[in-house]
Amino acid sequence: MVAGKVVVGAHYGLKDWLAQRVTAVVMALYSLWMFGLILVSPPNDFAAWRWLFSHSGIKAATFVFLVSLFWHAWIGVRDIFMDYIQDTWLRLLLQVLAIVALVGYAGWSIQILWSI
């Protein structure tokens, strides 16, 4: 054991590790469910895909999948930035850009899913 080790930085620990594992499980379950759904009744054309995603349950499950994907991506990208970008201001700028992009993707997802 190393005595006197000081851990600096925000968000190290069990919470982020657990969040990344939970989001991975959510994405895996959704992927298996959707694969099974498409395997049982494969959509042949755009109208069939539109019909499939017109159900509110599919929309909600897809949105949960996408939120899990964005959260999972944020944790991974943030950890990469914290590990490899030493300049504080550059790291902050990249993190802000990543947050803006991921929030924008979430908004775009809502727009796409609920416009069907």
Side-chain angles (χ1 to χ4, degrees), residues 22-99:
V22 169
T23 56
V25 168
V26 168
M27 291 186 295
L29 291 174
Y30 174 85
S31 297
L32 291 172
W33 175 65
M34 197 56 123
F35 178 73
L37 194 64
I38 292 170
L39 191 65
V40 169
S41 177
N44 297 344
D45 58 1
F46 177 74
W49 281 103
R50 187 178 179 103
W51 179 83
L52 178 66
F53 280 92
S54 67
H55 300 291
S56 60
I58 299 282
K59 288 180 184 181
T62 302
F63 186 67
V64 168
F65 168 82
L66 290 169
V67 167
S68 295
L69 176 68
F70 302 145
W71 191 2
H72 189 92
W74 164 245
I75 293 169
V77 167
R78 189 207 60 223
D79 286 349
I80 289 170
F81 290 160
M82 289 176 71
D83 288 345
Y84 295 107
I85 308 295
Q86 300 302 317
D87 182 49
T88 305
W89 289 105
L90 178 60
R91 184 172 58 232
L92 178 64
L93 173 67
L94 291 173
Q95 287 178 339
V96 168
L97 291 174
I99 290 169

Side-chain angles (χ1 to χ4, degrees), residues 1-7:
M1 183 166 157
V2 177
K5 181 176 179 185
V6 177
V7 177

